Amino acid sequence: MTRKVTGDWLTRSATQTVCAMLEDAGFQALLVGGCVRNALLGAPVSDIDISTNAHPERVRKIAKSAGLKSIPTGIEHGTITVVADGIPHEITTFRKDVETDGRRAVVAFSDRVEDDAHRRDFTMNAIYAHRDGTVVDPLGGMTDLQDRKFRFIDNADQRIREDYLRILRYFRFHAWYGDPNAGMDAEALAAIAANTEGLGSLSAERITSELMKLLSAQDPAPSVAAMRQCGVLSEVLVGADDRALAPLVHFEGAIGANIDPIARLAALGGPEIAKNLRLSKKQSAKHALLREAVSSTDAIAVIAFKQDEQIAILSGLLRSSLLEMPIQPDLTAQARRGTKAVFPIHSSDLSDQFQGRELGVALRKLEAEWIASDFKLTKAQLLR
């Protein structure tokens, strides 16, 4: 039985035009990777990757003749990005690895899709499709996809040694698309456990990117638990403890909270986040706020007043997860109350008595009294 993929991402004119551009020039155009995998799984499709037997410079000439913009985004690795109707399509020449060192590979171009498939990471990611949707499955990845089983292509140990980032990608993909009830591939886990030292060769930026994607999955707890058992978690996040992650995910679902990877990272702990990861300034600030709020004695309403409603709710969920206690029944109500609270004193109310630094001290003292009263003291009572 011939299997086909479908979806607006495939039938839109931009993607059809790019594929036809290559085929009309006598070359193959096979959609591959995430777009095909996700379409078959019924998941959203974002990036469009196309494999071809046309070499990069030839792709650029074909695109120019078709009046399309091409960008040499990774020409040394055989990748040209062709933009049609504002949509980028990454076109990569069929490749086979010649030499690898765990971080980068020396590749040679190939005319065979089978060579290209064998150098990919997981069987589920080595499924191709023609522009009419007909599936091309050179390595039998459809069986694993139907079982939602992530399995390394050919030899797991060899695949990992080609690029140690594949260790983290394995857990990330399993969190997003794997069957949580089926467990993980034993050969994959054994190979991962034997190669954890290779993670030290990866940049903090690459590790951070993968962890953030992993923690953005609906329920990353089983994958993170497997990372701990394989010795991966301690390699990428020194001192981390995943015991609070599963309760946090449960509590998020209980109150309908949005997924927040930074809150989940805070649940993992680890005393040297800044050394282990490369978070943005915004992410770092949020992580610090959450960790500080969790360890403070401030009520949820007070945290919301000082920060915002989201930080207060996440802090409440983290407290319950880390302390192994039920969530506060009126958590969201208290966070909302704190957000709406308005300190009734303005600097102008004290300017006739205090100036400069003394004015700031007086305002902070009155605010502390007002907060201690659970936001109940009135302006008149505070100024008395």
Side-chain angles (χ1 to χ4, degrees), residues 132-145:
D132 67 354
T134 302
V135 167
V136 177
D137 185 17
L139 304 183
M142 281 296 298
T143 300
D144 288 333
L145 182 138

Side-chain angles (χ1 to χ4, degrees), residues 149-166:
K149 180 179 181 179
F150 272 91
R151 192 166 57 84
F152 283 101
I153 290 170
D154 298 330
N155 183 281
D157 187 78
Q158 182 180 342
R159 291 287 82 76
I160 290 171
R161 289 176 180 272
E162 289 168 354
D163 184 354
Y164 290 108
L165 191 69
R166 287 173 173 172

Side-chain angles (χ1 to χ4, degrees), residues 29-49:
L30 295 174
L31 297 130
V32 67
C35 58
V36 177
R37 178 198 67 226
N38 285 19
L40 289 167
L41 290 172
V45 171
S46 52
D47 300 332
I48 306 298
D49 292 311

Side-chain angles (χ1 to χ4, degrees), residues 199-231:
L199 292 166
S201 66
L202 300 177
S203 69
E205 288 79 7
R206 295 181 82 193
I207 291 173
T208 302
S209 176
E210 282 300 320
L211 276 182
M212 288 298 102
K213 292 174 183 176
L214 165 61
L215 293 175
S216 296
Q218 190 69 35
D219 183 5
S223 289
V224 175
M227 289 172 64
R228 168 176 46 78
Q229 293 164 355
C230 287

Side-chain angles (χ1 to χ4, degrees), residues 7 11 25 48 129 136 140 153 189 204 230 234 236 252-253 325 350 370:
T11 57
I48 306 298
V136 177
I153 290 170
L189 293 179
C230 287
S234 59
V236 298
E252 289 171 348
M325 55 188 289
L350 303 175
W370 175 72

Side-chain angles (χ1 to χ4, degrees), residues 55-257:
H55 286 203
E57 289 301 336
R58 183 63 173 152
V59 172
R60 296 201 75 182
K61 291 178 181 178
I62 295 170
K64 184 177 181 180
S65 298
L68 297 176
K69 179 181 179 181
S70 67
I71 307 166
T73 45
I75 194 167
E76 67 278 10
H77 300 296
T79 301
I80 301 293
T81 298
V82 174
V83 182
D85 294 342
I87 300 170
H89 299 74
E90 280 204 355
I91 303 175
T92 304
T93 306
F94 294 155
R95 299 175 294 176
K96 57 183 177 181
D97 288 334
V98 174
E99 182 182 339
T100 61
D101 64 2
R103 288 181 297 173
R104 61 187 67 86
V106 176
V107 300
F109 297 140
S110 172
D111 293 324
R112 302 174 66 248
V113 67
E114 291 80 8
D115 289 336
D116 192 70
H118 276 288
R119 72 170 303 276
R120 294 180 178 272
D121 47 13
F122 312 114
T123 56
M124 196 184 289
N125 290 340
I127 302 173
Y128 301 72
H130 292 286
R131 65 186 176 108
D132 67 354
T134 302
V135 167
V136 177
D137 185 17
L139 304 183
M142 281 296 298
T143 300
D144 288 333
L145 182 138
Q146 289 164 355
D147 293 337
R148 288 181 175 260
K149 180 179 181 179
F150 272 91
R151 192 166 57 84
F152 283 101
I153 290 170
D154 298 330
N155 183 281
D157 187 78
Q158 182 180 342
R159 291 287 82 76
I160 290 171
R161 289 176 180 272
E162 289 168 354
D163 184 354
Y164 290 108
L165 191 69
R166 287 173 173 172
I167 291 176
L168 298 181
R169 282 169 60 84
Y170 178 85
F171 293 111
R172 189 245 293 187
F173 282 127
H174 184 272
W176 275 92
Y177 308 114
D179 182 349
N181 300 313
M184 298 184 183
D185 182 64
E187 181 187 353
L189 293 179
I192 287 170
N195 285 283
T196 55
E197 290 185 3
L199 292 166
S201 66
L202 300 177
S203 69
E205 288 79 7
R206 295 181 82 193
I207 291 173
T208 302
S209 176
E210 282 300 320
L211 276 182
M212 288 298 102
K213 292 174 183 176
L214 165 61
L215 293 175
S216 296
Q218 190 69 35
D219 183 5
S223 289
V224 175
M227 289 172 64
R228 168 176 46 78
Q229 293 164 355
C230 287
V232 173
L233 187 62
S234 59
E235 286 285 338
V236 298
L237 207 57
V238 178
D241 186 335
D242 66 304
R243 285 178 293 180
L245 182 57
L248 176 60
V249 172
H250 172 73
F251 291 146
E252 289 171 348
I255 68 167

